Amino acid sequence: MSKNVKAEKTFHIEIIETLSQIVEIVAEDEQSALLKAQQLYRNEQVVLDSEDYRDTKYNIFEWE
């Protein structure tokens, strides 16, 4: 039997894609602007797609 045989383990890999878009909002203050942006996003008036891609990260977790 070979001593170089390694036991395989199970890993969970988390893949995180970041999409980003800057939206111009006219509002009285920052809080109002944020609420308007959130509403636009929820109502699908702002939709992020592959053109808004910025980054991909990977997190690895050993599963026992």
Side-chain angles (χ1 to χ4, degrees):
M1 201 177 254
S2 174
K3 293 182 180 180
N4 293 333
V5 175
K6 292 184 179 181
E8 291 187 336
K9 300 176 184 177
T10 300
F11 297 90
H12 287 192
I13 310 296
E14 177 183 32
I15 303 170
I16 303 168
E17 276 192 350
T18 302
L19 305 178
S20 175
Q21 184 182 118
I22 295 176
V23 179
E24 189 171 302
I25 304 289
V26 177
E28 292 179 10
D29 55 38
E30 288 181 7
Q31 185 65 28
S32 297
L34 182 58
L35 291 172
K36 284 183 179 183
Q38 289 172 335
Q39 185 175 20
L40 289 172
Y41 183 76
R42 274 191 233 112
N43 292 337
E44 296 180 3
Q45 292 173 286
V46 173
V47 178
L48 304 178
D49 61 23
S50 61
E51 291 183 16
D52 300 306
Y53 171 81
R54 297 295 176 259
D55 188 31
T56 302
K57 295 181 182 180
Y58 301 89
N59 294 323
I60 186 167
F61 305 95
E62 185 175 337
W63 195 260
E64 295 184 34

Short mmCIF file of all heavy atoms in Angstrom, two decimals:
data_model
loop_
_atom_site.label_atom_id
_atom_site.label_comp_id
_atom_site.label_asym_id
_atom_site.label_seq_id
_atom_site.Cartn_x
_atom_site.Cartn_y
_atom_site.Cartn_z
N MET A 1 0.84 -1.18 0.00
CA MET A 1 0.00 0.00 0.00
C MET A 1 0.89 1.25 0.00
O MET A 1 1.83 1.35 0.75
CB MET A 1 -0.91 0.00 1.23
CG MET A 1 -2.12 0.87 1.07
SD MET A 1 -3.20 0.77 2.51
CE MET A 1 -4.48 -0.20 1.81
N SER A 2 0.56 2.22 -0.85
CA SER A 2 1.37 3.42 -1.00
C SER A 2 1.10 4.39 0.15
O SER A 2 -0.03 4.63 0.53
CB SER A 2 1.05 4.09 -2.33
OG SER A 2 1.73 5.32 -2.41
N LYS A 3 2.16 4.99 0.66
CA LYS A 3 2.04 5.98 1.73
C LYS A 3 1.66 7.36 1.18
O LYS A 3 1.35 8.25 1.93
CB LYS A 3 3.35 6.09 2.51
CG LYS A 3 3.68 4.85 3.30
CD LYS A 3 4.95 5.04 4.08
CE LYS A 3 5.27 3.78 4.87
NZ LYS A 3 6.50 3.95 5.64
N ASN A 4 1.72 7.54 -0.14
CA ASN A 4 1.45 8.83 -0.75
C ASN A 4 -0.03 9.06 -1.08
O ASN A 4 -0.38 10.09 -1.61
CB ASN A 4 2.28 8.99 -2.03
CG ASN A 4 3.76 9.07 -1.72
OD1 ASN A 4 4.15 9.48 -0.64
ND2 ASN A 4 4.59 8.64 -2.65
N VAL A 5 -0.88 8.11 -0.78
CA VAL A 5 -2.30 8.25 -1.08
C VAL A 5 -2.94 9.14 0.00
O VAL A 5 -2.84 8.87 1.18
CB VAL A 5 -3.00 6.88 -1.13
CG1 VAL A 5 -4.49 7.05 -1.32
CG2 VAL A 5 -2.40 6.01 -2.21
N LYS A 6 -3.57 10.20 -0.46
CA LYS A 6 -4.23 11.12 0.47
C LYS A 6 -5.73 10.87 0.46
O LYS A 6 -6.31 10.62 -0.59
CB LYS A 6 -3.97 12.57 0.08
CG LYS A 6 -2.53 12.99 0.25
CD LYS A 6 -2.37 14.46 -0.06
CE LYS A 6 -0.94 14.88 0.14
NZ LYS A 6 -0.75 16.31 -0.14
N ALA A 7 -6.33 10.93 1.62
CA ALA A 7 -7.78 10.76 1.72
C ALA A 7 -8.45 12.02 1.18
O ALA A 7 -8.03 13.14 1.46
CB ALA A 7 -8.19 10.55 3.17
N GLU A 8 -9.47 11.84 0.38
CA GLU A 8 -10.19 12.98 -0.16
C GLU A 8 -11.13 13.54 0.90
O GLU A 8 -11.65 12.82 1.74
CB GLU A 8 -10.97 12.58 -1.40
CG GLU A 8 -10.08 12.26 -2.57
CD GLU A 8 -10.86 12.03 -3.85
OE1 GLU A 8 -12.04 11.67 -3.77
OE2 GLU A 8 -10.27 12.19 -4.92
N LYS A 9 -11.32 14.85 0.83
CA LYS A 9 -12.20 15.55 1.75
C LYS A 9 -13.27 16.25 0.94
O LYS A 9 -13.12 16.46 -0.26
CB LYS A 9 -11.41 16.59 2.56
CG LYS A 9 -10.29 16.02 3.39
CD LYS A 9 -9.52 17.13 4.07
CE LYS A 9 -8.34 16.56 4.83
NZ LYS A 9 -7.54 17.64 5.44
N THR A 10 -14.32 16.66 1.60
CA THR A 10 -15.37 17.42 0.95
C THR A 10 -15.21 18.88 1.32
O THR A 10 -14.99 19.22 2.48
CB THR A 10 -16.76 16.92 1.41
OG1 THR A 10 -16.87 15.54 1.07
CG2 THR A 10 -17.87 17.70 0.76
N PHE A 11 -15.33 19.74 0.33
CA PHE A 11 -15.22 21.17 0.54
C PHE A 11 -16.46 21.85 0.01
O PHE A 11 -17.04 21.42 -0.99
CB PHE A 11 -13.99 21.73 -0.18
CG PHE A 11 -12.70 21.17 0.33
CD1 PHE A 11 -12.16 20.03 -0.23
CD2 PHE A 11 -12.03 21.80 1.36
CE1 PHE A 11 -10.97 19.51 0.24
CE2 PHE A 11 -10.84 21.29 1.84
CZ PHE A 11 -10.31 20.13 1.28
N HIS A 12 -16.89 22.89 0.67
CA HIS A 12 -17.96 23.74 0.16
C HIS A 12 -17.31 25.03 -0.32
O HIS A 12 -16.56 25.66 0.42
CB HIS A 12 -18.99 24.05 1.25
CG HIS A 12 -19.84 22.88 1.57
ND1 HIS A 12 -20.97 22.99 2.32
CD2 HIS A 12 -19.75 21.56 1.26
CE1 HIS A 12 -21.54 21.81 2.45
NE2 HIS A 12 -20.80 20.92 1.82
N ILE A 13 -17.58 25.39 -1.56
CA ILE A 13 -17.01 26.60 -2.15
C ILE A 13 -18.14 27.60 -2.36
O ILE A 13 -19.11 27.30 -3.06
CB ILE A 13 -16.33 26.30 -3.51
CG1 ILE A 13 -15.35 25.13 -3.41
CG2 ILE A 13 -15.66 27.56 -4.04
CD1 ILE A 13 -14.18 25.35 -2.50
N GLU A 14 -18.00 28.74 -1.74
CA GLU A 14 -18.97 29.82 -1.93
C GLU A 14 -18.45 30.73 -3.03
O GLU A 14 -17.32 31.20 -2.98
CB GLU A 14 -19.12 30.62 -0.63
CG GLU A 14 -20.04 31.80 -0.73
CD GLU A 14 -20.09 32.60 0.55
OE1 GLU A 14 -19.08 32.67 1.28
OE2 GLU A 14 -21.16 33.17 0.83
N ILE A 15 -19.27 30.96 -4.05
CA ILE A 15 -18.90 31.84 -5.16
C ILE A 15 -19.74 33.10 -5.04
O ILE A 15 -20.98 33.04 -5.02
CB ILE A 15 -19.14 31.15 -6.51
CG1 ILE A 15 -18.37 29.84 -6.57
CG2 ILE A 15 -18.76 32.09 -7.65
CD1 ILE A 15 -18.73 28.96 -7.76
N ILE A 16 -19.06 34.23 -4.94
CA ILE A 16 -19.75 35.51 -4.75
C ILE A 16 -19.43 36.40 -5.95
O ILE A 16 -18.28 36.71 -6.21
CB ILE A 16 -19.28 36.21 -3.46
CG1 ILE A 16 -19.51 35.31 -2.26
CG2 ILE A 16 -19.99 37.55 -3.30
CD1 ILE A 16 -18.83 35.80 -1.00
N GLU A 17 -20.47 36.79 -6.67
CA GLU A 17 -20.31 37.74 -7.77
C GLU A 17 -20.82 39.09 -7.32
O GLU A 17 -21.87 39.19 -6.69
CB GLU A 17 -21.11 37.30 -9.00
CG GLU A 17 -20.41 36.32 -9.85
CD GLU A 17 -21.10 36.15 -11.20
OE1 GLU A 17 -22.21 36.64 -11.41
OE2 GLU A 17 -20.48 35.50 -12.05
N THR A 18 -20.08 40.11 -7.66
CA THR A 18 -20.47 41.47 -7.31
C THR A 18 -20.88 42.22 -8.58
O THR A 18 -20.11 42.29 -9.54
CB THR A 18 -19.32 42.22 -6.63
OG1 THR A 18 -18.93 41.49 -5.46
CG2 THR A 18 -19.73 43.62 -6.24
N LEU A 19 -22.10 42.74 -8.57
CA LEU A 19 -22.59 43.62 -9.62
C LEU A 19 -22.77 44.99 -9.01
O LEU A 19 -23.17 45.12 -7.85
CB LEU A 19 -23.93 43.12 -10.17
CG LEU A 19 -23.99 41.69 -10.67
CD1 LEU A 19 -25.41 41.35 -11.13
CD2 LEU A 19 -23.01 41.46 -11.80
N SER A 20 -22.48 46.03 -9.78
CA SER A 20 -22.56 47.38 -9.22
C SER A 20 -22.96 48.36 -10.31
O SER A 20 -22.51 48.27 -11.44
CB SER A 20 -21.19 47.76 -8.66
OG SER A 20 -21.19 49.10 -8.23
N GLN A 21 -23.82 49.31 -9.94
CA GLN A 21 -24.25 50.35 -10.86
C GLN A 21 -24.48 51.62 -10.06
O GLN A 21 -25.04 51.58 -8.97
CB GLN A 21 -25.56 49.91 -11.55
CG GLN A 21 -26.05 50.86 -12.60
CD GLN A 21 -27.37 50.39 -13.20
OE1 GLN A 21 -28.35 51.09 -13.07
NE2 GLN A 21 -27.39 49.22 -13.82
N ILE A 22 -24.05 52.73 -10.59
CA ILE A 22 -24.29 54.01 -9.94
C ILE A 22 -25.54 54.63 -10.56
O ILE A 22 -25.64 54.74 -11.79
CB ILE A 22 -23.08 54.95 -10.07
CG1 ILE A 22 -21.90 54.34 -9.32
CG2 ILE A 22 -23.42 56.34 -9.54
CD1 ILE A 22 -20.62 55.11 -9.44
N VAL A 23 -26.48 55.00 -9.71
CA VAL A 23 -27.75 55.56 -10.15
C VAL A 23 -27.84 56.99 -9.63
O VAL A 23 -27.57 57.25 -8.45
CB VAL A 23 -28.93 54.73 -9.60
CG1 VAL A 23 -30.26 55.31 -10.03
CG2 VAL A 23 -28.81 53.28 -10.02
N GLU A 24 -28.19 57.91 -10.49
CA GLU A 24 -28.33 59.31 -10.08
C GLU A 24 -29.74 59.54 -9.54
O GLU A 24 -30.73 59.25 -10.20
CB GLU A 24 -28.08 60.22 -11.28
CG GLU A 24 -27.98 61.68 -10.91
CD GLU A 24 -27.52 62.52 -12.08
OE1 GLU A 24 -26.42 62.24 -12.61
OE2 GLU A 24 -28.26 63.45 -12.46
N ILE A 25 -29.80 60.04 -8.31
CA ILE A 25 -31.07 60.28 -7.62
C ILE A 25 -31.12 61.74 -7.17
O ILE A 25 -30.16 62.23 -6.57
CB ILE A 25 -31.22 59.36 -6.37
CG1 ILE A 25 -31.09 57.88 -6.72
CG2 ILE A 25 -32.51 59.65 -5.62
CD1 ILE A 25 -32.24 57.31 -7.50
N VAL A 26 -32.23 62.40 -7.42
CA VAL A 26 -32.44 63.76 -6.92
C VAL A 26 -33.35 63.65 -5.71
O VAL A 26 -34.45 63.08 -5.79
CB VAL A 26 -33.08 64.65 -8.01
CG1 VAL A 26 -33.37 66.03 -7.46
CG2 VAL A 26 -32.18 64.72 -9.23
N ALA A 27 -32.87 64.18 -4.57
CA ALA A 27 -33.64 64.08 -3.33
C ALA A 27 -33.22 65.20 -2.38
O ALA A 27 -32.19 65.85 -2.59
CB ALA A 27 -33.41 62.73 -2.67
N GLU A 28 -34.01 65.39 -1.33
CA GLU A 28 -33.73 66.44 -0.35
C GLU A 28 -32.54 66.10 0.56
O GLU A 28 -31.84 66.99 1.02
CB GLU A 28 -34.97 66.69 0.50
CG GLU A 28 -36.12 67.32 -0.27
CD GLU A 28 -37.35 67.55 0.60
OE1 GLU A 28 -37.26 67.40 1.83
OE2 GLU A 28 -38.40 67.88 0.02
N ASP A 29 -32.35 64.80 0.84
CA ASP A 29 -31.26 64.39 1.72
C ASP A 29 -30.83 62.96 1.38
O ASP A 29 -31.44 62.30 0.54
CB ASP A 29 -31.66 64.51 3.20
CG ASP A 29 -32.93 63.74 3.54
OD1 ASP A 29 -33.12 62.63 3.00
OD2 ASP A 29 -33.73 64.24 4.36
N GLU A 30 -29.76 62.51 2.03
CA GLU A 30 -29.20 61.18 1.75
C GLU A 30 -30.20 60.06 2.02
O GLU A 30 -30.31 59.10 1.25
CB GLU A 30 -27.94 60.94 2.59
CG GLU A 30 -26.76 61.74 2.15
CD GLU A 30 -25.53 61.46 2.98
OE1 GLU A 30 -25.55 60.54 3.83
OE2 GLU A 30 -24.52 62.15 2.78
N GLN A 31 -30.92 60.16 3.13
CA GLN A 31 -31.89 59.12 3.49
C GLN A 31 -32.98 59.00 2.44
O GLN A 31 -33.35 57.89 2.02
CB GLN A 31 -32.50 59.40 4.87
CG GLN A 31 -33.43 58.31 5.37
CD GLN A 31 -32.72 56.98 5.61
OE1 GLN A 31 -31.54 56.92 5.91
NE2 GLN A 31 -33.45 55.90 5.46
N SER A 32 -33.49 60.14 1.98
CA SER A 32 -34.52 60.12 0.93
C SER A 32 -33.97 59.55 -0.37
O SER A 32 -34.66 58.81 -1.07
CB SER A 32 -35.04 61.54 0.68
OG SER A 32 -35.66 62.05 1.84
N ALA A 33 -32.74 59.88 -0.69
CA ALA A 33 -32.12 59.36 -1.91
C ALA A 33 -31.97 57.85 -1.83
O ALA A 33 -32.25 57.13 -2.79
CB ALA A 33 -30.76 60.02 -2.12
N LEU A 34 -31.53 57.37 -0.67
CA LEU A 34 -31.38 55.92 -0.47
C LEU A 34 -32.73 55.21 -0.60
O LEU A 34 -32.84 54.17 -1.27
CB LEU A 34 -30.75 55.64 0.89
CG LEU A 34 -30.49 54.18 1.23
CD1 LEU A 34 -29.58 53.52 0.20
CD2 LEU A 34 -29.89 54.07 2.61
N LEU A 35 -33.76 55.76 0.01
CA LEU A 35 -35.10 55.16 -0.08
C LEU A 35 -35.60 55.12 -1.52
O LEU A 35 -36.19 54.13 -1.96
CB LEU A 35 -36.08 55.90 0.82
CG LEU A 35 -35.86 55.74 2.32
CD1 LEU A 35 -36.78 56.68 3.10
CD2 LEU A 35 -36.08 54.30 2.75
N LYS A 36 -35.36 56.20 -2.27
CA LYS A 36 -35.77 56.23 -3.67
C LYS A 36 -35.03 55.17 -4.48
O LYS A 36 -35.62 54.48 -5.31
CB LYS A 36 -35.51 57.61 -4.28
CG LYS A 36 -36.50 58.66 -3.87
CD LYS A 36 -36.21 59.98 -4.59
CE LYS A 36 -37.21 61.05 -4.23
NZ LYS A 36 -36.97 62.31 -4.99
N ALA A 37 -33.73 55.04 -4.26
CA ALA A 37 -32.93 54.05 -4.97
C ALA A 37 -33.41 52.63 -4.64
O ALA A 37 -33.53 51.78 -5.53
CB ALA A 37 -31.45 54.20 -4.62
N GLN A 38 -33.70 52.38 -3.37
CA GLN A 38 -34.20 51.06 -2.97
C GLN A 38 -35.54 50.76 -3.62
O GLN A 38 -35.78 49.65 -4.08
CB GLN A 38 -34.32 50.98 -1.44
CG GLN A 38 -32.98 50.95 -0.74
CD GLN A 38 -33.09 51.08 0.76
OE1 GLN A 38 -34.05 51.63 1.29
NE2 GLN A 38 -32.09 50.58 1.47
N GLN A 39 -36.39 51.76 -3.70
CA GLN A 39 -37.70 51.57 -4.32
C GLN A 39 -37.55 51.29 -5.82
O GLN A 39 -38.22 50.42 -6.37
CB GLN A 39 -38.57 52.80 -4.09
CG GLN A 39 -39.98 52.64 -4.60
CD GLN A 39 -40.86 53.84 -4.25
OE1 GLN A 39 -40.36 54.92 -3.96
NE2 GLN A 39 -42.16 53.63 -4.28
N LEU A 40 -36.67 52.03 -6.49
CA LEU A 40 -36.42 51.78 -7.91
C LEU A 40 -35.93 50.35 -8.14
O LEU A 40 -36.37 49.68 -9.07
CB LEU A 40 -35.39 52.78 -8.46
CG LEU A 40 -35.85 54.23 -8.60
CD1 LEU A 40 -34.65 55.12 -8.95
CD2 LEU A 40 -36.93 54.35 -9.66
N TYR A 41 -35.03 49.91 -7.27
CA TYR A 41 -34.48 48.55 -7.40
C TYR A 41 -35.56 47.50 -7.14
O TYR A 41 -35.71 46.54 -7.90
CB TYR A 41 -33.30 48.38 -6.43
CG TYR A 41 -32.64 47.04 -6.55
CD1 TYR A 41 -31.80 46.75 -7.61
CD2 TYR A 41 -32.87 46.04 -5.60
CE1 TYR A 41 -31.19 45.51 -7.73
CE2 TYR A 41 -32.26 44.81 -5.70
CZ TYR A 41 -31.42 44.55 -6.76
OH TYR A 41 -30.83 43.32 -6.87
N ARG A 42 -36.33 47.68 -6.08
CA ARG A 42 -37.40 46.72 -5.74
C ARG A 42 -38.46 46.64 -6.84
O ARG A 42 -39.02 45.58 -7.10
CB ARG A 42 -38.06 47.09 -4.41
CG ARG A 42 -37.34 46.51 -3.23
CD ARG A 42 -38.15 46.66 -1.95
NE ARG A 42 -37.29 47.31 -0.98
CZ ARG A 42 -37.45 48.53 -0.50
NH1 ARG A 42 -38.47 49.28 -0.84
NH2 ARG A 42 -36.60 49.03 0.36
N ASN A 43 -38.74 47.77 -7.47
CA ASN A 43 -39.74 47.82 -8.54
C ASN A 43 -39.16 47.43 -9.90
O ASN A 43 -39.82 47.59 -10.93
CB ASN A 43 -40.37 49.21 -8.61
CG ASN A 43 -41.22 49.52 -7.40
OD1 ASN A 43 -41.71 48.62 -6.71
ND2 ASN A 43 -41.40 50.80 -7.12
N GLU A 44 -37.93 46.98 -9.88
CA GLU A 44 -37.20 46.53 -11.08
C GLU A 44 -37.09 47.62 -12.14
O GLU A 44 -37.01 47.35 -13.33
CB GLU A 44 -37.85 45.27 -11.66
CG GLU A 44 -37.77 44.09 -10.71
CD GLU A 44 -38.40 42.82 -11.26
OE1 GLU A 44 -38.87 42.81 -12.41
OE2 GLU A 44 -38.40 41.83 -10.51
N GLN A 45 -37.03 48.87 -11.69
CA GLN A 45 -36.75 49.98 -12.59
C GLN A 45 -35.25 50.15 -12.77
O GLN A 45 -34.81 50.79 -13.71
CB GLN A 45 -37.40 51.26 -12.07
CG GLN A 45 -38.92 51.20 -12.11
CD GLN A 45 -39.56 52.38 -11.44
OE1 GLN A 45 -39.55 52.49 -10.22
NE2 GLN A 45 -40.09 53.28 -12.25
N VAL A 46 -34.48 49.60 -11.85
CA VAL A 46 -33.03 49.47 -11.97
C VAL A 46 -32.74 47.99 -11.89
O VAL A 46 -33.07 47.33 -10.90
CB VAL A 46 -32.30 50.22 -10.83
CG1 VAL A 46 -30.81 49.94 -10.88
CG2 VAL A 46 -32.58 51.71 -10.89
N VAL A 47 -32.15 47.44 -12.95
CA VAL A 47 -31.85 46.01 -13.01
C VAL A 47 -30.37 45.85 -13.33
O VAL A 47 -29.87 46.40 -14.32
CB VAL A 47 -32.71 45.30 -14.09
CG1 VAL A 47 -32.34 43.83 -14.16
CG2 VAL A 47 -34.19 45.47 -13.78
N LEU A 48 -29.68 45.13 -12.48
CA LEU A 48 -28.26 44.87 -12.71
C LEU A 48 -28.12 43.62 -13.57
O LEU A 48 -28.82 42.63 -13.37
CB LEU A 48 -27.54 44.68 -11.38
CG LEU A 48 -27.67 45.85 -10.38
CD1 LEU A 48 -26.95 45.52 -9.09
CD2 LEU A 48 -27.17 47.13 -10.97
N ASP A 49 -27.19 43.69 -14.54
CA ASP A 49 -26.97 42.54 -15.40
C ASP A 49 -25.47 42.35 -15.63
O ASP A 49 -24.65 42.96 -14.95
CB ASP A 49 -27.74 42.67 -16.72
CG ASP A 49 -27.32 43.89 -17.53
OD1 ASP A 49 -26.20 44.40 -17.34
OD2 ASP A 49 -28.12 44.34 -18.37
N SER A 50 -25.11 41.53 -16.60
CA SER A 50 -23.71 41.17 -16.81
C SER A 50 -22.83 42.38 -17.13
O SER A 50 -21.64 42.37 -16.85
CB SER A 50 -23.60 40.13 -17.92
OG SER A 50 -24.11 40.65 -19.14
N GLU A 51 -23.41 43.44 -17.67
CA GLU A 51 -22.62 44.65 -17.95
C GLU A 51 -22.21 45.36 -16.67
O GLU A 51 -21.31 46.20 -16.68
CB GLU A 51 -23.41 45.60 -18.85
CG GLU A 51 -23.59 45.06 -20.26
CD GLU A 51 -24.32 46.03 -21.16
OE1 GLU A 51 -24.43 47.23 -20.82
OE2 GLU A 51 -24.77 45.57 -22.22
N ASP A 52 -22.87 45.05 -15.56
CA ASP A 52 -22.57 45.67 -14.27
C ASP A 52 -21.62 44.83 -13.42
O ASP A 52 -21.36 45.15 -12.26
CB ASP A 52 -23.87 45.89 -13.49
CG ASP A 52 -24.83 46.79 -14.25
OD1 ASP A 52 -24.41 47.90 -14.63
OD2 ASP A 52 -25.98 46.38 -14.48
N TYR A 53 -21.08 43.76 -14.02
CA TYR A 53 -20.18 42.86 -13.30
C TYR A 53 -18.93 43.61 -12.84
O TYR A 53 -18.34 44.38 -13.59
CB TYR A 53 -19.78 41.68 -14.20
CG TYR A 53 -18.69 40.85 -13.60
CD1 TYR A 53 -18.99 39.89 -12.65
CD2 TYR A 53 -17.36 41.05 -13.95
CE1 TYR A 53 -17.99 39.13 -12.07
CE2 TYR A 53 -16.36 40.30 -13.38
CZ TYR A 53 -16.67 39.34 -12.43
OH TYR A 53 -15.67 38.61 -11.86
N ARG A 54 -18.51 43.37 -11.61
CA ARG A 54 -17.31 44.01 -11.07
C ARG A 54 -16.27 43.02 -10.56
O ARG A 54 -15.08 43.25 -10.73
CB ARG A 54 -17.68 44.96 -9.91
CG ARG A 54 -18.56 46.11 -10.32
CD ARG A 54 -17.85 47.05 -11.30
NE ARG A 54 -18.74 48.11 -11.75
CZ ARG A 54 -19.37 48.12 -12.93
NH1 ARG A 54 -19.20 47.15 -13.78
NH2 ARG A 54 -20.15 49.12 -13.26
N ASP A 55 -16.70 41.92 -9.92
CA ASP A 55 -15.72 41.07 -9.24
C ASP A 55 -16.31 39.71 -8.92
O ASP A 55 -17.53 39.57 -8.81
CB ASP A 55 -15.30 41.75 -7.92
CG ASP A 55 -14.14 41.07 -7.23
OD1 ASP A 55 -13.28 40.50 -7.92
OD2 ASP A 55 -14.09 41.12 -5.99
N THR A 56 -15.43 38.71 -8.78
CA THR A 56 -15.83 37.38 -8.29
C THR A 56 -14.86 36.99 -7.18
O THR A 56 -13.64 37.15 -7.33
CB THR A 56 -15.78 36.32 -9.41
OG1 THR A 56 -16.62 36.71 -10.47
CG2 THR A 56 -16.23 34.96 -8.88
N LYS A 57 -15.41 36.50 -6.09
CA LYS A 57 -14.59 36.02 -4.96
C LYS A 57 -15.00 34.59 -4.63
O LYS A 57 -16.14 34.19 -4.87
CB LYS A 57 -14.78 36.91 -3.73
CG LYS A 57 -14.28 38.31 -3.91
CD LYS A 57 -14.48 39.13 -2.65
CE LYS A 57 -14.00 40.55 -2.93
NZ LYS A 57 -14.16 41.41 -1.76
N TYR A 58 -14.07 33.86 -4.05
CA TYR A 58 -14.32 32.48 -3.66
C TYR A 58 -13.95 32.30 -2.20
O TYR A 58 -12.87 32.71 -1.77
CB TYR A 58 -13.47 31.52 -4.50
CG TYR A 58 -13.74 31.63 -5.98
CD1 TYR A 58 -13.04 32.54 -6.76
CD2 TYR A 58 -14.70 30.84 -6.59
CE1 TYR A 58 -13.29 32.66 -8.12
CE2 TYR A 58 -14.95 30.94 -7.94
CZ TYR A 58 -14.24 31.86 -8.71
OH TYR A 58 -14.50 31.96 -10.04
N ASN A 59 -14.84 31.69 -1.44
CA ASN A 59 -14.56 31.31 -0.05
C ASN A 59 -14.65 29.80 0.03
O ASN A 59 -15.59 29.20 -0.49
CB ASN A 59 -15.57 31.95 0.91
CG ASN A 59 -15.46 33.45 0.95
OD1 ASN A 59 -14.37 34.01 0.88
ND2 ASN A 59 -16.58 34.14 1.04
N ILE A 60 -13.69 29.19 0.69
CA ILE A 60 -13.65 27.75 0.78
C ILE A 60 -13.84 27.30 2.23
O ILE A 60 -13.27 27.89 3.14
CB ILE A 60 -12.35 27.18 0.18
CG1 ILE A 60 -12.37 25.67 0.14
CG2 ILE A 60 -11.14 27.72 0.91
CD1 ILE A 60 -11.29 25.06 -0.70
N PHE A 61 -14.67 26.28 2.40
CA PHE A 61 -14.96 25.74 3.72
C PHE A 61 -14.76 24.23 3.68
O PHE A 61 -15.32 23.55 2.84
CB PHE A 61 -16.42 26.02 4.12
CG PHE A 61 -16.79 27.47 4.06
CD1 PHE A 61 -17.39 28.00 2.93
CD2 PHE A 61 -16.55 28.31 5.13
CE1 PHE A 61 -17.74 29.34 2.86
CE2 PHE A 61 -16.90 29.66 5.06
CZ PHE A 61 -17.49 30.17 3.93
N GLU A 62 -13.94 23.73 4.57
CA GLU A 62 -13.75 22.28 4.66
C GLU A 62 -14.95 21.71 5.42
O GLU A 62 -15.37 22.24 6.45
CB GLU A 62 -12.46 21.94 5.40
CG GLU A 62 -12.16 20.47 5.42
CD GLU A 62 -10.83 20.15 6.03
OE1 GLU A 62 -9.95 21.02 6.06
OE2 GLU A 62 -10.67 19.01 6.48
N TRP A 63 -15.54 20.68 4.89
CA TRP A 63 -16.73 20.08 5.48
C TRP A 63 -16.35 18.74 6.09
O TRP A 63 -15.84 17.87 5.41
CB TRP A 63 -17.79 19.90 4.40
CG TRP A 63 -19.15 19.65 4.95
CD1 TRP A 63 -19.76 18.44 5.07
CD2 TRP A 63 -20.06 20.60 5.47
NE1 TRP A 63 -21.00 18.58 5.62
CE2 TRP A 63 -21.21 19.91 5.89
CE3 TRP A 63 -20.02 21.97 5.65
CZ2 TRP A 63 -22.30 20.55 6.43
CZ3 TRP A 63 -21.09 22.60 6.19
CH2 TRP A 63 -22.22 21.88 6.59
N GLU A 64 -16.60 18.59 7.35
CA GLU A 64 -16.25 17.32 8.02
C GLU A 64 -17.47 16.55 8.41
O GLU A 64 -18.49 17.01 8.65
CB GLU A 64 -15.39 17.62 9.26
CG GLU A 64 -14.07 18.23 8.84
CD GLU A 64 -13.17 18.44 10.04
OE1 GLU A 64 -13.20 17.64 10.98
OE2 GLU A 64 -12.43 19.42 10.01
#
